[in-house]
Amino acid sequence: MYTPDAVTETEWQRAHEDLIAKEKELTRAQDRLAAERRRQPGYRIGGDHVFEGPGGEYSLTDLFEGRRQLIVYHFMLAPGSDHQCEGCSMFVDNLGHPEHLNARDTTLAVVSRAPYPEIAAVRERMGWTVPWYSSFGGRFNEDMGVTVDGGENFGLSVFIRDGSSVYRTYFTQGRGVEKLGTNWSLLDLTPLGRQELWEDSPEGVPRSEPYAWWRLHGEYGD
């Protein structure tokens, strides 16, 4: 059984400070990358994508729920499959309360190829409340590159809306999804970011003081 080396408190403090310095540099590098990501161009999503959810049919614009930004997690759930992806399930288990994203004009949704009744059964079994839609019968998964030659992949896409026009600005998959799950990390993927004054953001992005917009969920309307 592995156990870290035993050292004096002074030796531990020295090693700890060295490690913290590296962690801080990584944080600054991640901030620079997020600033570059906010400036990444987007391409307009073509086609008339239709989804099924608890209220019937939805367009891609409907999934925004009236907000400017949409984050979609592509959950691996194929039509008729009796396998529920453990990794996708772990990701959804780690999602925070949606009100914090909503307060930054951002909606989070899950999309799978399985018909909606199959999705609803999994959602109920797992006790999830995140919006989850079916793209069954359409080309959304193929167009997003997560269904290839009939095989299912997972991933995460970011979209921004300009009126009725929708643009895809970011996509990640594989280990790029592992570090996500907090509201901060998800907002860092979007064109508008956290919308705080300290961020290096393009002209026109809304800004506010850090921490000032934070609320307990349920208190954003106060």
Side-chain angles (χ1 to χ4, degrees):
M1 179 68 70
Y2 169 75
T3 303
D5 293 338
V7 297
T8 66
E9 183 177 350
T10 300
E11 291 171 322
W12 175 86
Q13 186 65 38
R14 187 181 305 117
H16 179 64
E17 290 174 358
D18 289 344
L19 184 61
I20 290 297
K22 295 175 183 177
E23 288 183 348
K24 288 184 180 296
E25 177 51 38
L26 176 59
T27 298
R28 288 189 286 268
Q30 289 173 331
D31 288 341
R32 292 191 295 270
L33 185 59
E36 185 174 345
R37 192 184 292 118
R38 286 190 287 276
R39 291 167 171 84
Q40 178 168 290
Y43 71 92
R44 187 173 180 178
I45 301 298
D48 189 16
H49 296 293
V50 177
F51 305 86
E52 185 180 359
E57 287 192 352
Y58 297 78
S59 68
L60 181 57
T61 305
D62 291 334
L63 271 55
F64 284 74
E65 298 180 351
R67 303 182 182 93
R68 278 211 71 201
Q69 299 190 130
L70 171 67
I71 300 172
V72 168
Y73 181 72
H74 305 280
F75 193 111
M76 294 170 58
L77 189 65
S81 174
D82 59 0
H83 174 69
Q84 181 179 332
C85 175
E86 294 85 356
C88 292
S89 300
M90 187 181 297
F91 176 82
V92 177
D93 277 339
N94 280 281
L95 292 175
H97 200 284
E99 278 197 39
H100 306 294
L101 290 175
N102 298 165
R104 272 354 209 178
D105 213 8
T106 304
T107 298
L108 174 67
V110 178
V111 172
S112 296
R113 274 206 315 135
Y116 184 70
E118 297 176 18
I119 288 173
V122 173
R123 189 171 179 262
E124 181 178 2
R125 172 194 170 198
M126 299 299 292
W128 294 329
T129 58
V130 60
W132 193 351
Y133 303 93
S134 168
S135 62
F136 181 71
R139 288 198 50 83
F140 182 73
N141 279 45
E142 286 84 356
D143 290 351
M144 296 301 106
V146 291
T147 296
V148 181
D149 296 330
E152 295 292 303
N153 292 310
F154 66 94
L156 184 141
S157 293
V158 177
F159 305 90
I160 193 166
R161 182 173 60 87
D162 183 9
S164 60
S165 298
V166 175
Y167 299 84
R168 191 189 197 191
T169 63
Y170 183 73
F171 174 72
T172 190
Q173 59 186 162
R175 295 199 66 189
V177 176
E178 287 183 6
K179 64 181 183 301
L180 306 175
T182 69
N183 294 296
W184 296 291
S185 66
L186 290 169
L187 286 172
D188 284 344
L189 303 180
T190 68
L192 302 183
R194 306 184 192 191
Q195 301 158 56
E196 296 181 343
L197 289 174
W198 63 272
E199 290 179 300
D200 176 7
S201 293
E203 191 70 28
V205 169
R207 309 281 190 94
S208 67
E209 292 285 348
Y211 315 115
W213 63 276
W214 298 6
R215 301 285 189 278
L216 300 181
H217 75 257
E219 295 183 357
Y220 281 101
D222 297 345

